[in-house]
């Protein structure tokens, strides 16, 4: 295996190659597991696998490793996003951003932030779209886990966050809050949060 990790060939590399990758970047198994957001035990099993990294790692984990390599171990991650839309219903947002898959969302007649309807992705609070029964207003709320989930959906379409933001802005969206996480994995995971909020 090449000692140059400037690019990762997930088709040719196997789970066993993760050992050399980790040693090259002076990382422990615990550090790699934390960065990939899995248990150390699960990560240890990955290193023992002779299968292609395309099957050993999911799309989100491959993205994390590419980000790590491309930034020499330092990266800035979107960690929370809230966007309001004055003339768009929740159903319109689901059509725009989730291929009109209403079946992926669980609707509840309750809400927050002054909204009284909520659509939760998979019934969980990671990605929630709030709306009003008597007005075409909506608000999309991504928690940290929701951000990672949305990244996987975008990666599956060959897209990144800038595509999402551009579509949102073109449809009257306004970012009311964005949090960023600056991550370093030299020594251990160090997180500094930055954010802004419109009043």
């Amino acid at each position: 295996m090449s000692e140059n990790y400037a690019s990762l060939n997930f088709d040719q590399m196997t789970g066993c190659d993760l050992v050399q990758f980790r040693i090259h970047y002076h990382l422990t198994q615990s550090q790699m597991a934390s960065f990939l957001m899995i248990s150390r035990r699960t990560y240890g099993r990955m290193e023992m696998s002779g299968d292609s990294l395309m099957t050993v790692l999911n799309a989100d984990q491959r993205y994390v490793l590419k980000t790590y390599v491309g930034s020499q171990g330092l990266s800035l991650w979107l960690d929370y996003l809230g966007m309001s839309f004055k003339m768009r219903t929740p159903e319109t947002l689901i059509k725009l951003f989730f291929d009109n898959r209403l079946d992926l969302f669980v609707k509840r007649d309750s809400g927050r932030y002054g909204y009284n309807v909520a659509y939760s992705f998979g019934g969980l609070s990671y990605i929630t779209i709030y709306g009003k029964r008597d007005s075409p207003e909506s608000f999309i709320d991504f928690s940290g886990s929701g951000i990672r989930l949305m990244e996987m959906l975008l990666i599956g379409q060959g897209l990144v966050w800038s595509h999402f933001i551009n579509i949102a802005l073109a449809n009257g969206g306004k970012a009311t809050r964005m949090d960023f996480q600056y991550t370093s994995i030299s020594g251990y995971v160090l997180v500094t949060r930055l954010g802004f909020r419109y009043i």
Side-chain angles (χ1 to χ4, degrees):
M1 181 181 188
S2 170
E3 291 301 311
N4 181 7
Y5 294 92
S7 61
L8 292 166
N9 190 328
F10 294 115
D11 287 316
Q12 293 183 6
M13 293 171 67
T14 68
C16 298
D17 290 321
L18 284 174
V19 178
Q20 297 305 316
F21 176 90
R22 180 169 57 77
I23 291 171
H24 179 83
Y25 284 104
H26 309 290
L27 301 172
T28 66
Q29 283 193 341
S30 294
Q31 289 169 333
M32 284 286 285
S34 295
F35 203 46
L36 295 175
M37 292 185 284
I38 56 177
S39 70
R40 183 183 177 281
R41 188 176 199 175
T42 298
Y43 176 75
R45 286 198 298 269
M46 286 180 171
E47 284 196 351
M48 300 296 291
S49 174
D51 295 334
S52 161
L53 287 185
M54 284 297 292
T55 58
V56 172
L57 301 171
N58 63 35
D60 193 33
Q61 291 163 342
R62 295 195 301 271
Y63 176 76
V64 166
L65 288 183
K66 281 186 176 179
T67 301
Y68 180 80
V69 172
S71 57
Q72 289 79 50
L74 305 176
S75 58
L76 185 67
W77 298 74
L78 183 60
D79 193 52
Y80 173 88
L81 175 64
M83 295 193 80
S84 63
F85 297 80
K86 287 296 182 188
M87 295 302 294
R88 298 290 184 269
T89 64
E91 293 84 0
T92 301
L93 297 189
I94 292 171
K95 182 176 182 179
L96 277 173
F97 302 123
F98 300 93
D99 198 28
N100 207 25
R101 293 289 305 277
L102 273 166
D103 59 302
L104 297 176
F105 290 81
V106 174
K107 182 181 179 183
R108 294 187 176 90
D109 289 324
S110 62
R112 55 191 301 199
Y113 312 125
Y115 297 92
N116 49 30
V117 176
Y119 290 81
S120 300
F121 188 90
L124 303 172
S125 60
Y126 302 147
I127 302 174
T128 305
I129 304 174
Y130 297 98
K132 295 183 177 180
R133 283 186 284 272
D134 55 355
S135 176
E137 295 181 45
S138 55
F139 180 85
I140 188 165
D141 187 66
F142 293 94
S143 69
S145 296
I147 291 289
R148 304 285 84 82
L149 176 58
M150 191 66 197
E151 281 174 355
M152 285 192 284
L153 297 175
L154 290 169
I155 289 168
Q157 302 172 68
L159 304 176
V160 293
W161 271 109
S162 60
H163 294 96
F164 177 94
I165 298 294
N166 287 335
I167 293 171
L169 294 176
N171 282 272
K174 177 183 176 182
T176 59
R177 178 181 163 192
M178 296 179 80
D179 292 354
F180 294 89
Q181 160 181 306
Y182 174 77
T183 304
S184 165
I185 200 168
S186 21
Y188 203 66
V189 175
L190 169 69
V191 174
T192 302
R193 296 188 190 283
L194 310 167
F196 72 82
R197 184 183 303 217
Y198 286 111
I199 305 298

